[in-house]
Amino acid sequence: MKPLNHFLNTICNVTNETSIVSIKTLLFEKALAVFCILGLIAVIMGGIEVYLQGRLEIVVFYISAYLPALICFVLRKKIPYHYLTNIVLLDIYILSLLILSGVGLSGAGIPLLITFCVLTTTFQGIGRGLISILMGVIAILLIGSAMNKGFIPIDIITMTNSTRIEAWVMASVMLLLIGSIMVVCLGVLHDSLERTIKTIQQNTIELQTSNNQLEQAMKRQKETKNELLESKSLLEAAFESTADGILVVDKNRQWTKFNQNFTDIWNIPNSMIDSMTNSFDGKKALDYIMDNFKNPDEFISKIQEIYQNKEMDSFDTLELKDGRILEHYSKPQKLNNQIVGRVWSLRDITEQRRLESQLQLSQKMDSLGTLAGGIAHDFNNILFPILGHTEMLLEDAAKEDAAKESLFHSSLNQIYTGALRAKDLVNQILAFSRQDKNQLILMKMQPVIKEALKLIRSTIPAMIKIKQDIRADCGIIKADPTQIHQIVMNLATNAYHAMEETGGELTVTLEEIKLGKHEFLIPPEMKSGIYACLSIADTGVGMTKSTTEKIFDPFFTTKEKGKGTGMGLSVVHGIVNSMRGHIQINSEPNKGSQFKVYFPTQKNAEEEQFPLTKEPIQGGTEQILLVDDEQAILTMARQMLERLGYQVISQTSSLEAIETFHRNPEKFDLVITDMAMPHLSGDKLAVELRRIRHDIPILICTGFSEAMSEEKAATLGIRGFLMKPIRMKDFSQKIREVLDNNRTR
């Protein structure tokens, strides 16, 4: 029973890695062990009988036939199953033949043949089992016939029945009958077992596959659950970390979720938030929010429109009573393609709008500056001949009329004064356009401000009081003293006009302040640091918000005709920006205005002093090549230079000037050229002339300083640089300076 139980357990424990061959191998090893024991008994019994007959050689054959089976049992793990079964079955068959030949039917030969047939059927199939029966029947008949004929010697005592052929025939019939029954039964059982094992194996494989699929499904479910938890965590973090205020409502318009920024935007009290969390009161919260709107009816109308068209995405801008501006987004929430609610998003863009307004103003000022610079350039070319001819006429008139009181002389003075005023206006335009590069020096503002206030005091009525607080400890700035004087005069004049009818108080202060990067009133373009703050305030009529937005526009003025050009504050704006400063305006109607101008101070710097000197008009006899594409300027400048004693050759074309100079370059002592000319500009003309004669001194005159500056002129080897319009005195001084410096080189 134990072998059978073991066999059944093996079948029950079969797995995908266990094959039918392995089962047969296991069973064959057990059968081989039994055969080795029973075969040894059969060999001993047969050997004794043969030994008693005196046939020792047969004993040797028995042992020789038994030894292969014993060797196979010992080496069973190393011999392949196919070879192992063939060797052992052949050994059993030979051993049975030897026993039959030795002791006849009385020995263990017939049982061994039956064993041979059973094992062959069990381990090699029903086909080979039937063949083994046939082999056994043939062997019995052949051995029986041989003994009957006396070919095999026998012991008459031990094998009395072995000489009878009938006994051998009966033995073969019994083997055939019994063996066939056993072989057929075992064969059927063998095939059934194989099919059963294959079915078990297939079911096991399917079960393992299903088990693996189930494990994978459980693993995917776990991963999906983790992903859902992670997504939920990420969504909650994003929901709370976004800078926007978010509100989620269901399809019945009930609030279901909102983040902290939403409550912060609307300044919802904590007590109301707690009630909204525990037992939500949507109407109370909505009423609280609606109180913040500047125009609540417009917002309600928009909400009604959204809910009438539930698929609608919305965007609009909301203005609140406290001045804040909110961007409002709305989008339907869908689940399985069905609308289940709506998500509202709010963003505070107040600061963004403020910065956009500043950027637009800056761009507007830049555009106007470019336009103003172009106008100033053309106006300078028109003004230059007027100023020059007037100076020469005044000089002639002075010689003819020593008293200088004739109507003609007086008219010329008026023309000259008007031209100078026009020149100052052009300088203001250039200052506004940031194209007039004034010389900046290290200076203290206190003396300039006090001097300007003295001048203001003498020109405004006594009903306007001037109060000043000029701190002596205010630091040094880098600026042009003339421009600082101009800033004070323009701002003070505006303040005077604001109080002209009612009188009031003009307050001027200067102090040093430190501005940090987190100061609320400091615009982004200003760096943190120490600034000199000039404040000019009045108690006049003040300005509206719309007026302050236009106050720096060129030619914009609120004054009566004849009282202002509209350029004063534009010029101030241009000057301050060129110094990397900033202007702040605080003004309300009927409450006066205050202008604060911030100038960056300089560290560890000492004030520079540039004494002014007056020099007489000087002339000369040198040869000058004069080049300008404007005929009016060319004629006037030639007359002015000849009046000063110089010999002048003039050209309206830069290309013709090159040809003239090339014919006799040593003839000329100086070249004076305009900057902006067709075909070849003044700086390029200078390069070409220096290629012909590298030491020729060149003086450039221009009405547009952005294209050329003294620094750039110096890098090109140009000795002098003047801005149009040019007074005769300045013209003569610069010419003598260039010529005299060239002689000392």
Side-chain angles (χ1 to χ4, degrees), residues 305-370:
E305 179 187 356
I306 290 172
Y307 278 104
Q308 287 174 358
N309 184 5
K310 296 183 179 181
E311 296 282 348
M312 175 182 177
D313 293 349
S314 71
F315 167 75
D316 58 321
T317 303
L318 310 175
E319 293 186 11
L320 305 186
K321 291 179 180 178
D322 60 5
R324 288 183 297 153
I325 302 174
L326 305 180
E327 278 186 349
H328 170 243
Y329 304 85
S330 172
K331 190 176 184 68
Q333 180 188 1
K334 293 185 178 181
L335 182 64
N336 296 327
N337 208 30
Q338 297 293 322
I339 295 178
V340 296
R342 182 169 284 273
V343 179
W344 304 84
S345 175
L346 295 164
R347 179 177 300 171
D348 190 339
I349 59 168
T350 309
E351 181 66 14
Q352 177 183 334
R353 286 294 177 88
R354 187 183 72 83
L355 294 176
E356 287 175 355
S357 177
Q358 286 187 350
L359 178 61
Q360 290 173 358
L361 176 61
S362 176
Q363 291 173 340
K364 180 180 179 181
M365 298 302 290
D366 287 343
S367 300
L368 290 173
T370 302

Side-chain angles (χ1 to χ4, degrees), residues 461-512:
M463 64 179 181
I464 298 176
K465 297 180 180 180
I466 298 179
K467 181 181 179 181
Q468 56 179 300
D469 182 12
I470 311 299
R471 301 285 181 85
D473 58 353
C474 187
I476 294 172
I477 67 170
K478 192 170 186 178
D480 182 348
T482 303
Q483 289 183 335
I484 297 299
H485 189 277
Q486 190 174 10
I487 290 173
V488 177
M489 291 296 295
N490 284 352
L491 293 179
T493 301
N494 277 355
Y496 153 62
H497 286 301
M499 300 181 289
E500 188 174 10
E501 295 181 359
T502 61
E505 186 174 86
L506 172 64
T507 304
V508 180
T509 62
L510 177 68
E511 61 179 338
E512 185 175 278

Side-chain angles (χ1 to χ4, degrees), residues 394-418:
L394 279 171
E395 190 176 87
D396 293 341
K399 292 178 181 178
E400 296 176 2
D401 186 7
K404 299 182 181 180
E405 293 180 356
S406 67
L407 179 62
F408 177 69
H409 190 275
S410 176
S411 298
L412 286 176
N413 272 326
Q414 291 295 325
I415 294 173
Y416 186 67
T417 301

Side-chain angles (χ1 to χ4, degrees), residues 413-608:
N413 272 326
Q414 291 295 325
I415 294 173
Y416 186 67
T417 301
L420 290 178
R421 289 181 62 190
K423 178 184 177 183
D424 291 338
L425 178 61
V426 172
N427 288 335
Q428 290 186 13
I429 294 174
L430 287 175
F432 163 76
S433 66
R434 293 172 300 199
Q435 294 168 351
D436 186 21
K437 308 298 182 182
N438 294 279
Q439 183 181 14
L440 304 182
I441 65 172
L442 296 175
M443 59 166 287
K444 277 185 170 290
M445 297 173 62
Q446 292 88 334
V448 178
I449 295 173
K450 290 178 180 179
E451 180 183 349
L453 290 178
K454 287 180 182 179
L455 182 60
I456 288 290
R457 179 69 280 176
S458 63
T459 56
I460 64 176
M463 64 179 181
I464 298 176
K465 297 180 180 180
I466 298 179
K467 181 181 179 181
Q468 56 179 300
D469 182 12
I470 311 299
R471 301 285 181 85
D473 58 353
C474 187
I476 294 172
I477 67 170
K478 192 170 186 178
D480 182 348
T482 303
Q483 289 183 335
I484 297 299
H485 189 277
Q486 190 174 10
I487 290 173
V488 177
M489 291 296 295
N490 284 352
L491 293 179
T493 301
N494 277 355
Y496 153 62
H497 286 301
M499 300 181 289
E500 188 174 10
E501 295 181 359
T502 61
E505 186 174 86
L506 172 64
T507 304
V508 180
T509 62
L510 177 68
E511 61 179 338
E512 185 175 278
I513 62 173
K514 184 177 182 180
L515 298 178
K517 61 181 180 180
H518 298 298
E519 295 284 345
F520 177 73
L521 297 177
I522 298 306
E525 63 268 18
M526 283 186 70
K527 297 180 179 179
S528 58
I530 299 175
Y531 286 81
C533 178
L534 170 65
S535 173
I536 298 180
D538 64 71
T539 58
V541 295
M543 294 178 288
T544 63
K545 183 178 180 182
S546 60
T547 301
T548 57
E549 291 176 351
K550 302 175 183 177
I551 198 71
F552 295 121
D553 291 357
F555 309 110
F556 175 80
T557 180
T558 58
K559 301 171 187 175
E560 297 178 6
K561 187 175 181 180
K563 286 192 175 182
T565 62
M567 288 298 298
L569 290 179
S570 300
V571 170
V572 170
H573 184 273
I575 293 173
V576 173
N577 279 357
S578 68
M579 297 179 187
R580 300 189 177 183
H582 182 69
I583 304 177
Q584 275 185 1
I585 307 173
N586 295 313
S587 181
E588 292 184 27
N590 302 319
K591 292 186 178 181
S593 302
Q594 182 185 40
F595 288 78
K596 285 188 175 183
V597 187
Y598 296 89
F599 300 96
T601 60
Q602 304 294 315
K603 296 180 179 179
N604 301 324
E606 294 183 359
E607 184 179 5
E608 297 180 25

